[in-house]
Amino acid sequence: MATTLKNRSWRLSAAALLLSFSAQAQAPEAAATPAGMSGQEMLFWVLVSLLGVLVLALVLTGILIVVQLRPQLRKVYEMPTVRPSWSGKVLGLFVGDPVLLQGRVRDEIMSGHDYDGIHEFDNDLPPWWKMGFYGTIAFAAVYLFYFHVADAGQLSQAEYETEMKQAALLVSVGSDDPNKLTDFQPLTAAADIGAGKSLFATNCAPCHGAAAEGKVGPNLTDEYWLHGGEVNHVYKTVKFGVQGKGMVAWKGKLSSKQILQVSSYILTLQGSKPANAKEPQGEKDPTATKIAMR
């Protein structure tokens, strides 16, 4: 019986290998190598494919052997010295007894554990659950040693700081960086303030009002600011907008000089007290000052 099974297994393995080699032999010898793949890479994947076919053949052979030997394995499993052992429980998986995964159900009442007619039985916890629990303990010990004793890995805060540093390298450090405040001085020339006034009337008045008294947007004439009232803060708000608040970004629609002109004009309106001014929003900004035109 064993000799017959061995012969069958070797025949299956040999047949699988012959099929794989014949498939390779039937491929045209002058076939072009796929674009972007070198000869060594092609050879590597061929070897991996052959290994996969060999492993599959061995698995199928093992399954065939287990199916053919199942009656004999059942007799071995039923032996009193084999069944309770760990190897016997593994053997039980091949003969249809999942005790290794489910545990044994003994239904034996524990003495003194009887509450209102409800009995507690002393059954095993499922072995898969216990192995998972022990696995979490082992993982916690490895984690503690790796991250807190050996300091070999980064904790979440360190990972965050590293990622932020890496992201900063990808962002321009110039005036187009929304995280870096510019250092412009407000414009005070009449021509610049006039240009800013015209830009405000065309682009900003629909939301902030013709006199910046506030409509959908906030009042820009009082001393309260949502995003800062110094000229560079106003410049940043106008240029990049405020996501989720309805303030659109004017970058790409207005030039840098135009944005600075309208930002400077807004600061000339401080304390103008227009009619029907909207209630203050935000906080006072001590750096915000009114600009006087020259």
Side-chain angles (χ1 to χ4, degrees), residues 24-40:
Q24 294 293 330
Q26 291 174 2
E29 294 181 0
T33 302
M37 184 178 293
S38 66
Q40 291 182 345

Side-chain angles (χ1 to χ4, degrees), residues 87-151:
S87 58
K89 293 177 181 178
V90 174
L91 181 62
L93 295 175
F94 295 98
V95 298
D97 187 356
V99 66
L100 181 64
L101 300 177
Q102 297 181 355
R104 296 191 182 280
V105 179
R106 293 189 292 268
D107 287 348
E108 297 175 359
I109 300 176
M110 295 179 62
S111 176
H113 289 257
D114 184 351
Y115 303 95
D116 296 331
I118 300 175
H119 305 289
E120 180 179 351
F121 294 95
D122 185 17
N123 293 323
D124 287 342
L125 286 169
W128 62 265
W129 187 95
K130 290 190 287 187
M131 287 187 287
F133 177 70
Y134 298 145
T136 59
I137 296 175
F139 175 82
V142 173
Y143 181 93
L144 178 65
F145 178 82
Y146 184 80
F147 286 100
H148 295 279
V149 177
D151 287 331

Side-chain angles (χ1 to χ4, degrees), residues 28-103:
E29 294 181 0
T33 302
M37 184 178 293
S38 66
Q40 291 182 345
E41 292 176 338
M42 189 68 178
L43 178 60
F44 170 76
W45 287 113
V46 169
L47 293 176
V48 169
S49 301
L50 291 176
L51 181 61
V53 172
L54 179 60
V55 171
L56 179 61
L58 292 176
V59 171
L60 293 176
T61 302
I63 294 174
L64 179 62
I65 292 175
V66 170
V67 171
Q68 293 293 333
L69 291 179
R70 192 168 185 178
Q72 287 77 13
L73 294 176
R74 168 65 68 175
K75 292 180 181 178
V76 174
Y77 179 66
E78 295 295 340
M79 296 175 62
T81 57
V82 173
R83 190 165 187 171
S85 65
W86 174 259
S87 58
K89 293 177 181 178
V90 174
L91 181 62
L93 295 175
F94 295 98
V95 298
D97 187 356
V99 66
L100 181 64
L101 300 177
Q102 297 181 355

Side-chain angles (χ1 to χ4, degrees), residues 175-197:
S175 60
D176 284 339
D177 182 1
N179 298 313
K180 182 179 180 182
L181 203 62
T182 55
D183 56 357
F184 296 131
Q185 294 296 321
L187 303 175
T188 57
D192 290 321
I193 299 301
K197 181 178 180 180

Side-chain angles (χ1 to χ4, degrees), residues 168 171-184 232-233 235-237 239-240:
V171 178
S172 169
V173 296
S175 60
D176 284 339
D177 182 1
N179 298 313
K180 182 179 180 182
L181 203 62
T182 55
D183 56 357
F184 296 131
N232 290 287
H233 288 94
Y235 179 94
K236 175 182 176 181
T237 303
K239 184 172 184 178
F240 298 106

Side-chain angles (χ1 to χ4, degrees), residues 196-263:
K197 181 178 180 180
S198 177
L199 291 168
F200 184 92
T202 303
N203 302 295
C204 308
C207 289
H208 294 280
E213 71 275 12
K215 289 184 177 180
V216 178
N219 178 5
L220 300 177
T221 65
D222 56 30
E223 55 185 345
Y224 290 86
W225 298 89
L226 290 170
H227 307 288
E230 195 268 337
V231 67
N232 290 287
H233 288 94
V234 178
Y235 179 94
K236 175 182 176 181
T237 303
V238 175
K239 184 172 184 178
F240 298 106
V242 182
Q243 292 185 356
K245 298 296 184 179
M247 176 62 189
V248 299
W250 291 96
K251 174 185 176 182
K253 303 172 186 176
L254 299 177
S255 66
S256 295
K257 184 175 181 179
Q258 288 176 319
I259 296 175
L260 185 57
Q261 286 172 336
V262 74
S263 301

